Amino acid sequence: MADTLPATVHLVGAGPGDPELLTIKAVRLIRDARLIVHDGLVSDEILALASPDAELISVAKQRSRHSMPQDAINALLVRCALAGEAVVRLKGGDPFIFGRGGEEVDACRAAGVPVEVVPGISAAIGAAAQAQLPLTHRDASSAVTFVAGQCKGLTDQDWSGLAGKGRTLVIYMGVATAAQIADKLIADGVSPGLPVAVLENGTRADMRTLRTLLADLGDMVEREAVISPALIVVGEVTAHALAQDVLVGWAQRQSNGAEMRS
Amino acid sequence: MADTLPATVHLVGAGPGDPELLTIKAVRLIRDARLIVHDGLVSDEILALASPDAELISVAKQRSRHSMPQDAINALLVRCALAGEAVVRLKGGDPFIFGRGGEEVDACRAAGVPVEVVPGISAAIGAAAQAQLPLTHRDASSAVTFVAGQCKGLTDQDWSGLAGKGRTLVIYMGVATAAQIADKLIADGVSPGLPVAVLENGTRADMRTLRTLLADLGDMVEREAVISPALIVVGEVTAHALAQDVLVGWAQRQSNGAEMRS
């Protein structure tokens, strides 16, 4: 038995990058924290909100070594809390949208550690706002799905039916595999002519929003030298975005192709 | 031509209800606003952040009359902005997840009115955090989809393939049609034994999280007198939530049914 009562672990979403897109609650917890365990998606500007006395532990990928395995992160959170040290576990975006927050919550609860989750603006929701790209739209989409391009193996994932008419598919972490993603969707029956947008550096000042058609996605990512982090949005809603059309002939297709919006 | 330059319309997500889940940017815009056009999902606590001098216009449903039609809201925003009045258009959750923000952006851009969108914590993301219900989970789901139970006609909507093994389906505004939703999903091939959770009053102090199986969803909503606003989450991830199991025999199924989590 520990001598002290376990402290609480707060899993806190740090949002998409812009510190103004933190929630009030996240700012309060970051400012009051004595110990912050954060990953690489959390920007320096956000970490700068922490007290100078706070201890910051990064579990991010370093140049020469891998990121801390998830089991080790879980164990670290539990060990600190059982020793009576409250932990703010700061994660990019939202803890429950590809943040592996579920596993950390499971580990805390299994160890009898109190845990609370503070939601954050997920990367796609932040980037879509800045690009003026409605993820749902009365005329174009009544369902929006989030998947991850590098969550488990891409080929192991079943995305059938998630993209197409009346649906929006958002792919996180898909830039490196953009060509395979396009092939996978087309093999699943998605039209090669469906518009797609790529949102690079979402919510940052240097954000780029590029638009093309699904069949061109892989080539476009290479041609335009898109870098991570970036999101891929597949669906008719992308026609509404503020975006740079990078497929030759796009403008003509759009002006002729009223059926794409209907 | 107008005598003045058009002012900017800010479409601002007010999050799921708890004022601490507003973003820093939303608070700043609400405090500085001279004119706020808001809908009924925005709580009084949040409206109280506005300056006493600010004009507040509600486009919400009133007791005895319908809410303002979307076209009239669009026209109001454009008219104010063209007259030089900056508008904060405050919407529950996120403007682009069933917020009809896309139509308001379209209307502003068509009228030459500058528009900016500030994302918010969508209801499902806020409620899931509080219920400790991971919307994605390495062991249970690699795709999460948002749909709306009252967005257009329920029967007109195609939800095939959105729920099932390895997928999470979140239904907004589905309480009134919960029984039809269960029938619809089962008719589409979803297992009647798939666990579902209902999150009532998400992020509020009186939030309830109830869990049962899909086949019992309609009865359960009636039996437990679930009221709007509430979200329905369909999928294996609900097994991880902090929830009250309201189906007799659930505990036994869970302890026997390791396959539900694998």
Side-chain angles (χ1 to χ4, degrees):
Chain A
M1 298 282 283
D3 297 308
T4 49
L5 286 174
T8 298
V9 172
H10 281 93
L11 263 68
V12 179
D18 178 350
E20 269 214 301
L21 296 180
L22 285 165
T23 64
I24 304 291
K25 190 166 190 174
V27 171
R28 174 169 63 78
L29 288 164
I30 294 167
R31 288 209 170 122
D32 292 349
R34 307 275 316 260
L35 174 59
I36 295 176
V37 176
H38 66 91
D39 49 42
L41 291 170
V42 179
S43 69
D44 290 343
E45 281 167 290
I46 288 173
L47 294 176
L49 298 171
S51 156
D53 301 331
E55 182 185 357
L56 272 60
I57 299 176
S58 170
V59 294
K61 219 163 262 190
Q62 304 285 329
R63 265 176 302 256
S64 56
R65 51 191 184 123
H66 288 292
S67 58
M68 194 181 284
Q70 189 61 47
D71 286 349
I73 297 172
N74 298 351
L76 172 68
L77 301 178
V78 166
R79 194 169 64 241
C80 293
L82 289 178
E85 274 191 280
V87 185
V88 168
R89 170 70 177 111
L90 199 56
K91 305 166 87 71
D94 176 74
F96 281 166
I97 305 275
F98 308 117
R100 302 193 70 174
E103 292 161 79
E104 297 176 9
V105 168
D106 290 346
C108 289
R109 295 207 314 232
V113 167
V115 59
E116 284 184 31
V117 184
V118 179
I121 303 287
S122 194
I125 291 176
Q130 186 159 331
Q132 299 189 9
L133 193 172
L135 296 174
T136 65
H137 193 292
R138 200 165 176 86
D139 301 329
S141 172
S142 59
V144 54
T145 302
F146 299 140
V147 296
Q150 298 182 331
C151 180
K152 295 187 178 177
L154 186 60
T155 49
D156 295 342
Q157 290 198 65
D158 172 18
W159 292 353
S160 55
L162 299 179
K165 188 148 187 64
R167 296 184 173 184
T168 306
L169 178 64
V170 180
I171 301 146
Y172 284 64
M173 298 171 278
V175 167
T177 53
Q180 293 99 296
I181 285 170
D183 290 346
K184 180 184 180 74
L185 291 171
I186 292 168
D188 280 342
V190 180
S191 164
L194 199 63
V196 299
V198 172
L199 287 62
E200 182 191 58
N201 286 326
T203 81
R204 297 196 203 158
D206 59 351
M207 179 176 177
R208 277 201 302 173
T209 306
L210 306 171
R211 183 168 44 201
T212 187
L213 302 179
L214 181 58
D216 182 49
L217 177 63
D219 285 349
M220 185 274 272
V221 161
E222 215 173 291
R223 201 165 68 229
E224 299 288 336
V226 175
I227 54 163
S228 286
L231 294 142
I232 298 168
V233 182
V234 180
E236 294 164 358
V237 287
T238 58
H240 293 263
L242 287 185
Q244 185 189 347
D245 292 316
V246 291
L247 179 71
V248 178
W250 167 279
Q252 289 87 329
R253 284 168 191 265
Q254 284 302 94
S255 57
N256 300 336
E259 79 283 357
M260 297 184 77
R261 294 161 190 261
S262 66
Chain B
M1 298 283 284
D3 296 309
T4 49
L5 285 174
T8 298
V9 172
H10 282 92
L11 264 67
V12 178
D18 177 351
E20 269 214 300
L21 295 181
L22 285 166
T23 64
I24 304 289
K25 190 166 191 174
V27 171
R28 173 169 64 78
L29 288 163
I30 294 167
R31 288 209 169 121
D32 292 349
R34 307 275 316 259
L35 173 59
I36 295 177
V37 176
H38 66 91
D39 49 42
L41 291 170
V42 179
S43 69
D44 291 343
E45 282 168 287
I46 288 172
L47 294 175
L49 297 172
S51 156
D53 301 331
E55 182 185 357
L56 271 60
I57 299 177
S58 171
V59 294
K61 217 162 264 188
Q62 305 283 330
R63 265 176 303 255
S64 57
R65 51 191 184 123
H66 288 291
S67 57
M68 193 182 285
Q70 187 61 47
D71 285 350
I73 297 172
N74 299 349
L76 173 68
L77 301 179
V78 165
R79 194 170 64 242
C80 294
L82 289 178
E85 274 191 281
V87 185
V88 167
R89 170 71 176 109
L90 199 55
K91 305 167 88 70
D94 176 75
F96 281 166
I97 305 273
F98 308 118
R100 303 192 70 173
E103 291 161 79
E104 297 175 10
V105 167
D106 290 347
C108 289
R109 294 207 314 231
V113 166
V115 58
E116 284 184 32
V117 184
V118 179
I121 302 287
S122 193
I125 291 177
Q130 187 159 328
Q132 300 189 8
L133 193 172
L135 296 175
T136 66
H137 192 291
R138 200 166 177 85
D139 300 331
S141 172
S142 58
V144 54
T145 303
F146 301 139
V147 297
Q150 298 180 331
C151 180
K152 297 186 177 178
L154 187 60
T155 49
D156 295 341
Q157 290 198 63
D158 172 17
W159 292 354
S160 56
L162 298 179
K165 189 148 187 64
R167 295 182 175 186
T168 306
L169 178 64
V170 180
I171 301 145
Y172 284 64
M173 299 169 277
V175 167
T177 53
Q180 294 99 295
I181 284 170
D183 289 347
K184 181 184 180 72
L185 291 171
I186 291 168
D188 279 343
V190 179
S191 164
L194 199 63
V196 299
V198 172
L199 286 61
E200 183 190 58
N201 286 326
T203 81
R204 296 196 204 158
D206 59 352
M207 178 177 178
R208 276 201 301 173
T209 306
L210 306 171
R211 182 169 43 200
T212 187
L213 302 180
L214 181 58
D216 181 49
L217 176 64
D219 286 347
M220 186 274 272
V221 161
E222 216 172 290
R223 200 164 69 230
E224 300 285 336
V226 175
I227 53 163
S228 286
L231 293 144
I232 298 169
V233 182
V234 181
E236 294 165 357
V237 287
T238 58
H240 292 263
L242 286 185
Q244 185 188 348
D245 292 317
V246 292
L247 178 71
V248 178
W250 167 280
Q252 288 88 325
R253 284 167 191 266
Q254 285 301 94
S255 56
N256 300 336
E259 79 283 357
M260 297 184 75
R261 295 160 188 261
S262 67

